[in-house]
Amino acid sequence: PITPGELLCLGSSLAFSGLFYYLYRKKARVVARIQEAPKLQVDDNLPALVSAADGRCLPYVALEGIVLPAKAALTSHYHEGLQGVIQKLLLKEHRLIWNALARSW
């Protein structure tokens, strides 16, 4: 006979497995969309392409081109001849809602 404790453990194990599988599949779809992203060149046609898109936004695109540093390129201390630049990160919040339970925005 199966005890109620064993049934509880089995049920919670199945519930957690289902939850983690759901989260895995959700992230796998996002990764697939990113990997299938079209590759665009940074050139004079890019602003026209962006303004012609829906909502003036291109979701998941890979930009290829030459990047010029604003001041000086960063050089690696460990690999000779390797240079890089720092990308400026822009964070845009789409919506701000007051959460009364957590008392935060």
Side-chain angles (χ1 to χ4, degrees):
I2 298 175
T3 65
E6 290 174 339
L7 283 176
L8 180 68
C9 289
L10 178 65
S12 62
S13 175
L14 288 174
F16 279 121
S17 295
L19 172 69
F20 291 136
Y21 182 72
Y22 167 75
L23 294 174
Y24 165 76
R25 294 301 305 155
K26 188 175 176 183
K27 295 299 177 185
R29 283 191 296 268
V30 171
V31 168
R33 283 187 63 196
I34 291 173
Q35 287 177 342
E36 295 170 358
K39 294 180 180 173
L40 303 175
Q41 295 292 325
V42 178
D43 56 8
D44 296 334
N45 298 333
L46 187 60
L49 184 63
V50 171
S51 53
D54 284 341
R56 298 184 57 174
C57 178
L58 297 172
Y60 297 122
V61 296
L63 294 176
E64 296 178 340
I66 297 174
V67 177
L68 299 175
K71 294 181 182 176
L74 302 172
T75 56
S76 173
H77 296 289
Y78 304 106
H79 300 285
E80 189 176 326
L82 188 63
Q83 294 184 336
V85 296
I86 296 177
Q87 175 185 358
K88 182 179 178 182
L89 182 64
L90 175 66
L91 178 66
K92 180 180 177 183
E93 285 218 25
H94 298 285
R95 199 165 70 169
L96 200 58
I97 298 175
W98 174 255
N99 185 347
L101 183 63
R103 297 200 178 274
S104 65
W105 286 102

